[in-house]
């Protein structure tokens, strides 16, 4: 009888699990003994570490996504959301992009739905806040920053100008620091095309509730990063929380208040909501309760990894693997092998990986790294950041496109126009229709 492996989410874990299964179960897929399905709202996997470079205009947004149907020809890709998992009945409820929801049966499930922004009930956050997890958000932010430079240049109202030129990022982890550093670098670069703007007119505020930035690179390099950001004129506020931002009026716990048009929220992640809409075991932090073998506690045919799962770190007893790509990719490999072992009635193996440290880009030619205890800063770290991620971005096709983007950027200045109009493509046409009615 055919075994149906259903993968919920086509991001890091989903894509890499399916790739390995597609390769290792080629015979079974051909004979129909095994079927694999991925469900994801998008038809592509996003290489999230490149989002800051896309926001800065160094990479085309199309080049940091990997098309699932092209890479996984033996796998069925369904676009939509899994809204419920009924593991007792081995079915999920699938809500396609259009049309009625339906139940889909499976034999083995892989929960790879990742995470969403972890928000807090802060007044005004939904008014002006934006996350930084998707291509849409990265490109919208890029357009917004450039549009607001245009606004500031064109107004003679000082209040409007100051508000437009104030950008706030909340959360100084990977996503927050990289997004801020890349966007600040791009904005600084762009001001040279404006008659009435200098880099000093643009205010960047980084708000962090703890006493450090970029914990992923360790205390020493985190401290260095903090000094670098401050030297660049970025107002880094440690031990500070966002109290409210109603209508763009930002109030911080250190007592400061100011107006800002833009607030980027990167203060952590929480599991995708679908994990709560399931009968699968959860841990005290609402993550899927995984075992060291990447099965879910108390099950044999439900697997999970990545940001949505709490995976015990066997190299650091009592701790869990951090939600990052370094673990997600490696977990996917073990997860796929364990599914094959399960199907063949063999013993499953543990996931074991000791965190090796991290690299982060801080704008063009600037970076910080702490990998295997080797600490780098400035250009060498930036070079390492680029080469590492180039080696990791899926498929040769994407690697070539990324190199071409970077090479073009070497010879031509980066694009500094806002294409925010693309977010409202029908506005011009609607206005034309209105003039007809008059
Ligand atoms: C800006 C940024 C920079 C980063 N940089 C680094 C870095 O330099 N190094 C590093 O190690 N990590 C980095 N990370 C973290 C890394 O990208 C994540 O840890 C990794 O993507 C987790 O993989 P995942 O498969 O669990 O989730 P994802 O890759 O997010 O995939 C989850 C997928 O599930 C889908 N999905 C969600 N809900 C449902 C549902 N209900 N039904 C169906 N599908 C669903 C989503 O659409 C998505 O495609 C970065 C993250 C960000 C945001």
């Amino acid at each position: 009888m055919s075994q149906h492996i259903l993968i919920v989410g086509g991001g890091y874990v989903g894509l890499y699990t399916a790739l390995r299964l597609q390769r290792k179960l080629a015979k079974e897929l051909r004979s129909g003994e095994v079927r694999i399905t991925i469900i994801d709202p998008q038809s592509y996997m996003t290489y999230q570490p490149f989002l800051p470079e896309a926001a800065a205009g160094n990479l085309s947004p199309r080049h940091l996504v990997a098309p699932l149907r092209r890479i996984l020809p033996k796998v069925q890709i369904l676009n939509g959301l899994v809204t419920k998992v009924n593991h007792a009945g081995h079915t999920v409820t699938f809500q396609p992009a259009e049309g009625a929801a339906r139940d889909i049966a499976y034999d083995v499930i892989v929960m790879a739905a990742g995470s969403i922004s972890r928000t807090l009930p802060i007044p005004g956050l939904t008014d002006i806040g934006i996350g930084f997890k998707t291509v849409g958000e990265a490109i919208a932010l890029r357009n917004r920053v450039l549009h607001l430079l245009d606004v500031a240049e064109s107004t003679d109202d000082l209040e409007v100008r100051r508000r437009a030129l104030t950008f706030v990022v909340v959360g100084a982890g990977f996503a927050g620091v990289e997004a801020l550093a890349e966007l600040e670098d791009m904005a600084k670069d762009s001001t040279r095309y404006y008659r009435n703007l200098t880099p000093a007119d643009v205010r960047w505020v980084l708000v962090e509730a703890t006493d450090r930035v970029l914990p992923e690179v360790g205390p020493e390099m985190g401290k260095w990063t903090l000094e670098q950001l401050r030297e660049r004129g970025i107002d880094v506020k440690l031990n500070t929380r966002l109290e409210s931002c109603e209508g763009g009026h930002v109030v911080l716990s250190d007592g400061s208040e100011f107006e800002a048009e833009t607030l980027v929220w990167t203060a952590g992640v929480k599991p995708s909501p679908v994990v709560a809409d399931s009968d699968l075991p959860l841990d005290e932090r609402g993550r899927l309760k995984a075992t060291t073998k990447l099965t879910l506690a108390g099950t044999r045919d439900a697997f999970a990894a990545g940001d949505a799962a709490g995976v015990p770190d066997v190299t650091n007893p009592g701790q869990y693997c951090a939600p990052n790509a370094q673990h997600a990719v490696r977990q996917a490999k073990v997860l796929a092998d364990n599914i094959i072992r399960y199907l063949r009635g063999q013993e499953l193996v543990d996931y074991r990986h000791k965190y090796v440290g991290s690299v982060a880009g801080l704008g063009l030619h600037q970076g910080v790294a702490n990998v295997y205890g080797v600490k780098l800063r400035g250009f060498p770290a930036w070079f390492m950041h680029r080469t590492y991620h180039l080696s990791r971005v899926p498929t040769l096709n994407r690697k070539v496109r990324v190199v071409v983007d970077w090479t073009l950027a070497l010879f031509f200045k980066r694009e500094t126009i806002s294409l925010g109009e693309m977010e409202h493509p029908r506005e011009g046409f609607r206005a034309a229709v209105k003039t007809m009615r008059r």
Side-chain angles (χ1 to χ4, degrees):
M1 203 184 68
S2 172
Q3 293 282 316
H4 184 205
I5 303 170
L6 180 72
I7 304 178
V8 182
Y12 268 92
V13 172
L15 171 71
Y16 282 102
T17 301
L19 265 176
R20 199 162 174 94
L21 291 174
Q22 177 178 260
R23 187 163 57 80
K24 291 200 157 183
L25 293 177
K27 197 161 66 71
E28 290 82 351
L29 282 162
R30 252 194 321 272
S31 67
E33 278 169 73
V34 169
R35 282 188 303 128
I36 306 173
T37 304
I38 291 186
I39 300 182
D40 196 297
Q42 315 298 345
S43 57
Y44 52 79
M45 172 264 194
T46 303
Y47 191 80
Q48 290 174 358
F50 273 153
L51 287 175
E53 287 229 35
N58 302 330
L59 280 183
S60 159
R62 279 185 198 83
H63 300 165
L64 59 127
V65 300
L68 297 176
R69 288 191 176 85
R70 194 194 299 174
I71 301 175
L72 297 166
K74 305 275 169 4
V75 174
Q76 184 180 25
I77 312 294
L78 296 178
N79 293 122
L81 275 176
V82 169
T83 54
K84 201 171 165 86
V85 180
N86 168 13
H87 190 59
H90 279 59
T91 58
V92 298
T93 306
F94 167 57
Q95 175 59 63
E98 302 268 342
R102 66 178 188 270
D103 283 355
I104 296 180
Y106 62 80
D107 298 289
V108 175
I109 191 166
V110 178
M111 292 296 288
S115 56
I116 58 169
S117 300
R118 178 162 44 82
T119 53
L120 297 169
I122 293 173
L125 192 55
T126 47
D127 298 349
I128 64 160
I130 180 168
F132 197 78
K133 274 193 70 64
T134 64
V135 179
E137 287 169 335
I139 301 309
L141 256 172
R142 165 185 171 71
N143 286 331
R144 189 170 179 78
V145 171
L146 293 168
H147 167 70
L148 289 169
L149 297 186
D150 297 346
V151 168
E153 170 90 340
S154 314
T155 182
D156 52 11
D157 182 328
L158 280 182
E159 280 304 306
V160 170
R161 179 181 156 98
R162 202 169 301 129
R163 185 180 154 106
L165 293 179
T166 303
F167 301 94
V168 183
V169 176
V170 182
F174 246 133
V177 169
E178 285 196 299
L180 175 136
E182 292 284 357
L183 285 166
E184 187 267 349
D185 190 48
M186 175 195 72
K188 194 189 292 159
D189 218 20
S190 308
T191 52
R192 69 173 115 155
Y193 303 112
Y194 295 81
R195 283 171 177 245
N196 301 318
L197 287 185
T198 68
D201 294 324
V202 190
R203 181 178 181 205
W204 292 87
V205 185
L206 178 60
V207 181
E208 167 56 45
T210 69
D211 60 355
R212 45 84 192 116
V213 305
L214 215 56
E216 293 87 347
V217 293
E220 187 190 333
M221 301 316 278
K223 194 163 163 280
W224 179 83
T225 307
L226 175 63
E227 285 159 13
Q228 286 301 301
L229 295 176
R230 285 188 167 149
E231 263 173 40
R232 280 162 66 168
I234 295 162
D235 185 0
V236 186
K237 291 176 180 289
L238 299 180
N239 299 308
T240 307
R241 279 170 287 104
L242 173 70
E243 300 275 341
S244 66
C245 52
E246 281 169 297
H249 181 73
V250 176
V251 180
L252 302 179
S253 63
D254 66 356
S256 53
E257 295 188 25
F258 52 88
E259 301 291 317
E261 275 285 324
T262 311
L263 185 138
V264 189
W265 181 268
T266 54
V269 293
K270 64 178 182 189
S272 163
V274 67
V275 310
D277 292 322
S278 76
D279 56 357
L280 294 166
L282 303 185
D283 67 13
E284 62 293 345
R285 285 162 68 178
R287 298 171 302 195
L288 291 160
K289 193 171 167 60
T291 67
T292 53
K293 297 180 171 30
L294 304 175
T295 51
L296 286 172
T299 72
R300 293 179 65 236
D301 45 12
F303 293 77
D307 286 9
V311 178
D313 183 351
V314 295
T315 69
N316 200 357
Q319 300 298 312
Y320 289 92
C321 299
N324 59 42
Q326 193 179 126
H327 281 299
V329 173
R330 289 170 173 86
Q331 287 169 352
K333 199 169 144 199
V334 176
L335 195 160
D337 289 349
N338 274 349
I339 290 179
I340 296 169
R341 287 189 186 100
Y342 164 75
L343 293 176
R344 293 178 181 162
Q346 298 163 349
E347 190 86 5
L348 309 194
V349 300
D350 280 344
Y351 169 70
R352 174 183 295 271
H353 170 67
K354 197 165 172 51
Y355 187 62
V356 300
S358 280
V359 287
L362 300 175
L364 212 51
H365 304 154
Q366 303 164 73
V368 59
N370 185 353
V371 181
Y372 292 113
V374 178
K375 295 169 183 145
L376 297 175
R377 52 197 90 187
F379 184 83
W382 172 81
F383 188 73
M384 185 185 209
H385 160 79
R386 278 205 161 177
T387 42
Y388 170 76
H389 285 300
L390 183 64
S391 73
R392 292 277 146 183
V393 75
T395 79
L396 180 66
N397 178 309
R398 260 44 198 173
K399 290 186 206 305
V400 172
R401 287 172 191 264
V402 165
V403 170
V404 169
D405 280 353
W406 285 341
T407 312
L408 284 175
L410 272 180
F411 297 105
F412 302 101
K413 295 194 174 83
R414 69 173 126 195
E415 289 295 345
T416 55
I417 36 143
S418 164
L419 286 181
E421 183 215 348
M422 284 169 72
E423 289 155 37
H424 314 281
R426 299 183 61 214
E427 262 176 20
F429 184 72
R430 281 202 189 117
V433 172
K434 272 191 198 147
T435 59
M436 196 185 70
R437 284 197 193 127
R438 266 191 219 139

